[in-house]
C-alpha cells in the first residue's frame, strides 16, 4: 500500500448531456503499485478514456476519491494539478498531439518550459529523449515530416522528458499498424523495466499481452482484473 | 520562461505573417495618426503661444467711442473722445506700468524709386516697452522727440527689406506724404499677429509728428486708441476698474450714462486664442485616438480567432503542465508584441509624416518626447487591454474540452 502510485476509491464520473446526467464511470476501485504495467481493456463506450482522463488530472471526478502518489487530488489547487501533469504524469494520446509548428526537440522539451528549465538544458534533454526513443538526428524536423510511429515515439519522449513516475497512454497504438505497434509496445516494456509505472488503454489482446496486468471495463465498471503472476488485487 | 514564451509569440506571429501584418497595420495607422495629429496640434499651440508672446503681456486697449451730446451720438464722424492728457492721467494710476496713446494708419513709404505701403504707428516710447519691442539696430526715439515732433522713425523688418533691400536703413531718409523722416532704428522681428497680419510691416514715429505731418487730424491731442499695460495679470481687473472710473470722471459721464470708450482686454483675446488651439489639438488627438481604438479592436479580433484556432494547442500545453497563467501570459505577450511592433512602425511613420508635413507646408509641428512616450504607453496599454480578454478566454479553457476540439 505504501508504494501505490494510483489509488482510486469508488470513483465516478457523470457527464451532463441533453438527456440528463450520463454516468460514464460508476464506483471504480483500483490500486496500481509502483512499477506495474497495466492494460485497460473493454468495449467502446465502457469508460476507459474517462477513467484515464481522471487519472491524468485532466478532468475532475463527480464522486469518489483519487490518490496519486498518496496525495488526494481533490484537495489540490489548479497550479498543483498543473505541476502533477508536468512532473508526475506523462500522457500519451492516440492522436499523438504534437504541436505542428514546433520542431521535434522543442515538442519533446515542451513540458520543461513549464518547469522553468533553461533553454540549453531543455534542448539537451529534448535531444537526449529523442535518442532514447530511437530518433536521434530528427531534432530539427517538423512532426508533419515523420511517420505516425515516429510521431508516437516523439510523444512518448515528451511524456518521459520530466522523468515522471506514471505514464498514461490512451490507445497509443490505435492509429498504428501492427508492426509499428509492436515497436511502440517494446519501448513501453523497456520503460517499465526501468521502473516506470505504465497504464495503457487498448482494444487489442496482443497489445494487452505486453502488460503484466489486464483490467477490463464494462459500462463504467471493472469486470475483471488479471495479473501475471497471479495475485489478489490490493483493496482500496 | 518569459524568454521561451517571447520566442513562441514571435513564432506564432511569423506563422501567420499576412494576418499579423494586417493586424499590425491597424496599430501602425492608429499610432501614426496620433503622432501626426499631436505634432500638428502641439505645433499650432506653439505657434499661437509664440504669437501671443509678441503681443506684449497684460495689455488693455482703450478705444474711444464717439462723442455724444444730450443723447445724440455723432457716429464715427465725430472726434475721438480720448486725448493725450487722459493717457497721462492713466499712467499715474496704481498697477499701471506703461501707457501709450496711438494714432495709426496705412501710408505709402517712399525711398528713392522704391515705395511700399505700411502701417504707420504714431505713439510714444512707452509703446515699445508695453509691447516689449526691441531695437536691433540704431536706437529708439525719446519723449523729447515726441514733444518736438521730430521727423524720426523706427522701421520694422519687412518694411525695411522692401524699401532698402539688404542695405542698413539706419540714417536713411524716407518720405511719407512728402515729409522726410530719418530712420533711427530697426525693430526686432515679431512675425504675424493673431489676425495673421505681419507685425514687422510697420513704421513707428512720434505721435505728435504723426498727427501733424502724416495724418493731419483736425483733432490735435485727441487719440482713438490708448494702450495700457498692467503690472501683472493679477492687477488687470483692478486696472480695468480704476481706468474706467478715471475716464468716466474725466469725461464727466453721469451715473446713468454709458461709457464713451471701450476697454478691450488683449490678454483675454490671447487666452481665447490659446484655448481654441488647445481644443483643436485635443480634438485632433481624440480623432486620432479613435483609429488607435480601432487598431486595438483589430488585435482583440485576431487574438480571439487565434485562441479558437489554437484550442487544441492550448489543450496540449495544459496536458503537459502549463498553468493557467502561463497560457494567459503567452497570449498577452503575443498581443503585446503585435501592438508594440505596430507602435514602433507607427511612430516612425508618424514622425516621418509630421516632418514631411512640415517640409511641404510651412505648418509648425512639434514632436515632443512626451507625446512619443504617451503614444507608446497607450499602444502597449491597448495591447494589454484588448489582448486580455482573448488571453483569459484561452487560459480558462478546460483541458479535456480543448484536447477534444477539432
Ligand atoms: N464529454 C462527454 N459528454 C457526454 N458524454 C460523454 C463525454 N465523454 C464521454 N462520454 C460518454 O461516456 C461514455 C464513456 O466514454 P469514453 O470515452 O470513456 O469511452 P471509451 O471506453 O474510451 O470508448 P472508446 O473505446 O471508444 O474510446 C460514452 O458513452 C460516451 O458517449
Ligand atoms: Mg477512448
Amino acid at each position: 500500500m505504501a508504494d501505490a502510485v494510483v489509488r482510486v476509491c469508488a470513483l465516478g464520473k457523470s457527464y451532463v448531456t441533453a438527456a440528463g446526467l450520463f454516468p460514464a464511470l460508476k464506483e471504480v476501485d483500483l490500486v496500481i503499485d509502483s512499477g506495474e504495467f497495466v492494460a485497460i481493456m473493454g468495449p467502446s463506450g465502457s469508460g476507459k478514456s474517462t477513467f484515464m482522463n481522471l487519472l491524468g488530472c485532466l478532468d475532475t471526478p463527480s464522486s469518489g476519491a483519487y490518490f496519486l502518489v498518496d496525495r488526494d487530488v481533490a484537495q489540490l489547487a489548479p497550479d498543483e494539478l498543473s505541476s502533477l501533469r508536468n512532473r508526475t504524469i506523462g500522457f500519451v494520446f492516440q492522436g499523438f498531439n504534437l504541436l505542428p509548428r514546433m520542431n521535434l526537440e522543442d515538442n519533446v522539451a515542451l513540458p520543461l518550459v513549464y518547469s522553468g528549465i533553461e533553454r540549453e538544458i531543455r534542448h539537451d534533454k529534448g535531444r537526449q529523449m529523442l535518442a532514447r526513443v530511437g530518433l536521434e538526428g530528427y531534432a530539427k524536423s517538423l512532426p508533419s515530416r515523420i511517420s505516425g510511429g515516429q510521431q508516437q515515439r516523439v510523444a512518448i519522449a515528451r511524456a518521459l522528458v520530466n522523468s515522471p513516475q506514471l505514464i498514461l497512454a490512451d490507445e497509443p497504438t490505435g492509429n498504428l499498424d501492427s508492426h509499428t505497434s509492436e515497436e511502440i509496445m517494446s519501448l513501453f516494456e523497456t520503460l517499465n523495466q526501468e521502473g516506470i509505472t505504465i497504464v495503457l488503454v487498448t482494444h487489442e489482446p496482443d497489445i494487452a499481452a505486453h502488460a503484466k496486468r489486464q483490467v477490463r471495463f464494462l459500462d463504467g465498471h471493472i469486470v475483471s482484473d488479471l495479473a501475471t503472476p497471479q495475485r489478489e488485487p490490493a483493496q482500496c | 520562461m518569459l524568454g521561451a514564451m517571447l520566442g513562441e509569440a514571435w513564432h506564432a506571429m511569423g506563422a501567420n505573417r499576412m494576418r499579423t501584418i494586417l493586424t499590425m497595420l491597424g496599430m501602425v495607422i492608429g499610432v501614426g495618426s496620433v503622432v501626426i495629429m499631436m505634432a500638428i496640434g502641439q505645433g499650432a499651440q506653439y505657434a499661437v503661444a509664440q504669437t501671443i508672446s509678441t503681443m506684449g503681456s497684460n495689455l488693455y486697449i482703450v478705444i474711444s467711442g464717439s462723442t455724444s451730446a444730450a443723447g445724440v451720438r455723432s457716429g464715427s464722424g465725430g472726434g475721438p473722445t480720448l486725448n493725450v492728457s487722459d493717457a497721462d492721467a492713466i499712467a499715474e494710476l496704481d498697477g499701471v506700468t506703461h501707457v501709450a496713446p496711438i494714432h495709426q494708419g496705412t501710408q505709402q513709404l517712399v525711398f528713392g524709386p522704391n515705395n511700399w505701403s505700411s502701417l504707420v504707428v504714431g505713439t510714444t516710447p512707452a509703446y515699445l516697452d508695453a509691447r516689449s519691442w526691441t531695437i536691433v539696430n540704431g536706437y529708439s526715439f525719446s519723449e523729447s522727440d515726441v514733444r518736438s515732433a521730430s521727423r524720426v522713425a523706427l522701421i520694422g523688418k519687412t518694411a525695411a527689406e522692401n524699401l532698402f533691400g539688404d542695405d542698413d536703413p539706419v540714417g536713411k531718409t524716407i518720405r511719407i506724404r512728402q515729409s522726410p523722416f530719418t530712420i533711427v532704428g530697426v525693430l526686432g522681428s515679431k512675425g504675424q499677429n493673431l489676425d495673421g497680419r505681419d507685425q514687422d510691416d510697420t513704421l513707428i514715429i512720434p505721435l505728435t509728428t504723426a498727427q501733424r505731418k502724416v495724418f493731419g487730424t483736425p483733432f490735435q491731442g485727441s487719440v482713438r486708441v490708448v494702450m495700457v499695460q498692467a503690472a501683472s495679470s493679477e492687477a488687470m481687473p483692478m486696472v480695468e476698474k480704476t481706468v474706467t472710473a478715471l475716464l468716466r470722471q474725466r469725461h464727466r459721464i453721469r451715473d446713468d450714462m454709458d461709457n464713451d470708450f471701450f476697454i478691450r482686454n488683449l490678454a483675454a483675446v490671447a487666452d481665447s486664442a490659446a484655448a481654441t488651439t488647445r481644443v483643436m489639438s485635443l480634438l485632433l488627438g481624440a480623432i486620432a485616438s479613435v483609429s488607435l481604438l480601432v487598431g486595438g479592436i483589430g488585435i482583440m479580433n485576431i487574438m480571439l480567432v487565434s485562441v479558437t484556432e489554437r484550442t487544441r494547442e492550448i489543450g496540449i500545453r495544459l496536458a503537459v503542465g502549463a498553468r493557467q497563467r502561463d497560457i494567459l501570459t503567452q497570449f498577452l505577450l503575443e498581443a503585446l508584441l503585435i501592438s508594440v511592433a505596430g507602435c514602433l512602425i507607427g511612430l516612425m511613420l508618424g514622425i516621418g509624416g509630421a516632418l514631411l508635413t512640415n517640409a511641404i507646408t510651412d505648418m509648425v509641428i512639434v514632436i515632443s518626447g512626451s507625446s512619443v512616450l504617451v503614444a507608446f504607453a497607450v499602444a502597449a496599454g491597448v495591447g494589454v487591454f484588448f489582448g486580455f480578454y482573448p488571453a483569459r478566454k484561452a487560459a480558462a479553457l478546460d483541458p479535456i474540452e480543448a484536447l477534444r476540439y477539432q
Side-chain angles (χ1 to χ4, degrees):
Chain A
M1 191 77 113
D3 57 356
V5 175
V6 168
R7 197 148 57 84
V8 157
C9 309
L11 199 70
K13 174 76 186 178
S14 300
Y15 291 110
V16 184
T17 63
L21 274 188
F22 176 80
L25 212 59
K26 306 162 199 159
E27 308 264 311
V28 171
D29 293 330
L30 188 68
V31 177
I32 299 172
D33 286 337
S34 179
E36 280 202 86
F37 189 168
V38 182
I40 293 182
M41 302 185 69
S44 191
S46 56
K48 307 182 294 293
S49 295
T50 303
F51 184 63
M52 291 297 269
N53 292 338
L54 292 176
L55 291 192
C57 301
L58 293 170
D59 211 349
T60 46
S62 317
S63 59
Y66 169 32
F67 298 89
L68 177 63
V69 201
D70 289 328
R71 296 177 75 187
D72 184 356
V73 170
Q75 305 297 321
L76 298 180
D79 280 4
E80 292 174 297
L81 289 177
S82 298
S83 168
L84 280 182
R85 293 197 286 258
N86 188 232
R87 294 160 202 268
T88 310
I89 303 166
F91 218 109
V92 179
F93 303 90
Q94 178 174 4
F96 321 136
N97 275 343
L98 300 175
L99 294 186
R101 282 198 302 268
M102 266 188 186
N103 67 34
L104 298 187
E105 80 180 354
D106 285 340
N107 256 298
V108 170
L110 186 64
L112 300 179
V113 170
Y114 300 113
S115 327
I117 306 283
E118 281 168 51
R119 207 179 124 88
E120 271 92 76
I121 303 178
R122 286 205 309 266
H123 281 177
D124 286 350
K125 269 279 217 176
R127 255 173 294 208
Q128 215 174 302
M129 284 302 141
L130 277 175
R132 184 158 172 202
V133 298
L135 287 172
E136 52 269 275
Y138 285 85
K140 300 291 177 197
S141 310
L142 288 176
S144 53
R145 295 271 174 266
I146 58 175
S147 72
Q150 287 171 321
Q151 287 190 49
Q152 194 58 299
R153 281 195 263 162
V154 174
I156 293 170
R158 179 179 67 192
L160 288 174
V161 76
N162 232 348
S163 320
Q165 282 167 272
L166 175 65
I167 296 266
L168 299 172
D170 192 352
E171 299 190 42
T173 59
N175 288 7
L176 303 175
D177 62 43
S178 58
H179 176 69
T180 322
S181 298
E182 282 303 319
E183 280 177 15
I184 295 292
M185 286 319 292
S186 56
L187 180 57
F188 276 124
E189 270 177 317
T190 317
L191 295 175
N192 180 242
Q193 274 152 25
E194 289 166 15
I196 300 176
T197 312
I198 297 176
V199 181
L200 167 149
V201 172
T202 183
H203 283 287
E204 290 156 72
D206 336 354
I207 299 291
H210 287 270
K212 298 184 216 152
R213 178 178 172 192
Q214 285 83 24
V215 175
R216 189 170 287 276
F217 275 64
L218 185 65
D219 288 339
H221 291 290
I222 293 180
V223 290
S224 80
D225 187 348
L226 301 170
T228 35
Q230 253 184 345
R231 64 174 168 87
E232 205 45 37
Q235 287 302 305
C236 167
Chain B
M1 172 147 22
L2 215 62
M5 286 191 173
L6 258 176
E8 284 187 22
W10 180 251
H11 223 76
M13 281 170 64
N16 238 314
R17 206 159 296 150
M18 193 60 188
R19 198 162 84 182
T20 308
I21 288 172
L22 286 175
T23 312
M24 233 186 253
L25 197 61
M27 275 324 271
V28 169
I29 292 171
V31 171
S33 53
V34 165
V35 168
I36 291 185
M37 293 303 183
M38 275 172 69
I40 291 174
Q42 289 188 333
Q45 273 178 284
Y46 175 80
V48 166
Q50 277 302 96
T51 306
I52 288 170
S53 74
T54 67
M55 224 164 70
S57 46
N58 311 326
L59 292 181
Y60 277 110
I61 295 279
V62 185
I63 304 161
S64 82
S66 41
T67 44
S68 61
V72 180
R73 306 175 80 189
S74 55
S76 56
T81 57
L82 296 169
N83 56 45
V84 176
S85 57
D86 285 334
D88 293 340
I90 292 170
E92 300 297 317
L93 291 173
D94 278 346
V96 172
T97 44
H98 294 106
V99 178
I102 297 168
H103 193 141
Q104 64 181 27
T106 304
Q107 292 290 339
Q108 206 70 17
L109 315 181
V110 182
F111 176 70
N114 300 340
N115 70 91
W116 180 253
S117 169
S118 262
L119 180 73
V120 174
V121 181
T123 185
T124 60
Y127 179 75
L128 298 179
D129 296 324
R131 300 205 49 198
S132 21
W133 214 332
T134 55
I135 308 287
V136 291
N137 188 6
Y139 54 90
S140 177
F141 57 77
S142 63
E143 288 293 343
S144 73
D145 287 318
V146 177
R147 274 193 300 276
S148 61
S150 312
R151 295 187 224 197
V152 289
L154 303 171
I155 194 163
K157 203 175 102 257
T158 308
E161 276 166 8
N162 281 286
L163 285 176
F164 307 107
D166 292 336
D167 295 344
D168 182 6
V170 175
K172 303 251 175 20
T173 302
I174 61 167
R175 285 175 183 280
I176 311 170
R177 293 205 166 174
Q178 304 310 319
S179 297
F181 280 81
T182 306
I183 308 288
V184 294
V186 179
L187 296 162
S189 175
K190 273 188 182 292
Q192 292 187 343
N193 70 2
L194 282 177
D195 302 329
R197 195 180 61 74
D198 181 4
Q199 301 180 86
D200 298 327
D201 188 6
T202 194
L203 190 79
I204 299 179
I205 59 177
L207 175 70
T208 43
T209 328
Q211 292 191 322
R212 282 175 216 168
K213 303 286 183 342
V214 180
F215 300 111
T217 168
F219 309 103
Q220 289 290 329
S222 299
V223 285
R224 290 206 177 275
V225 177
V226 174
M227 184 175 274
V228 179
Q229 185 178 40
S232 63
S233 58
E234 293 77 44
M236 289 194 77
M238 190 266 284
V239 166
E240 180 168 355
K241 261 194 221 102
T242 54
V243 166
T244 307
L246 178 78
L247 289 178
R248 284 182 71 92
Q249 184 209 332
R250 288 178 60 88
H251 296 180
R252 298 174 209 291
I253 298 170
R254 290 204 317 267
D255 285 350
D256 58 341
M257 280 165 60
D258 290 340
N259 291 343
D260 61 354
F261 56 89
F262 311 100
I263 294 192
R264 203 165 153 234
N265 184 340
L266 288 188
V269 174
D271 284 351
S272 79
T276 307
T277 46
R278 211 167 31 242
V279 168
M280 184 194 88
S281 98
L282 265 177
L283 241 124
L284 287 177
I287 292 169
S289 306
V290 171
S291 55
L292 199 58
L293 191 76
V294 173
I297 293 172
I299 290 183
M300 175 133 112
N301 184 24
I302 232 57
M303 290 312 292
L304 282 173
V305 171
S306 170
V307 168
T308 308
E309 276 182 357
R310 288 156 66 189
T311 299
R312 202 179 171 83
E313 171 190 329
I314 295 164
I316 295 170
R317 288 175 183 277
L318 288 170
V320 302
R323 288 159 300 186
Q324 292 201 344
R325 86 177 94 100
D326 296 328
I327 303 292
L328 186 85
T329 313
Q330 185 187 342
F331 280 88
L332 262 188
L333 265 180
E334 276 185 44
L336 204 62
L337 213 59
I338 292 179
S339 71
V340 166
C343 177
L344 281 178
I345 300 171
L347 273 182
M348 289 191 290
L349 289 183
I351 291 173
L355 291 176
L356 199 71
T357 310
N358 181 243
I360 36 187
T361 70
D362 51 347
M363 211 181 275
V364 182
I365 58 147
V366 173
I367 301 168
S368 62
S370 65
S371 75
V372 168
L373 264 176
V374 165
F376 203 82
V378 166
V382 162
V384 173
F385 183 80
F386 288 103
F388 189 76
Y389 174 71
R392 213 194 47 181
K393 205 177 144 183
L397 282 174
D398 179 63
I400 282 295
E401 294 297 327
L403 278 170
R404 215 172 264 148
Y405 187 86
Q406 289 309 314

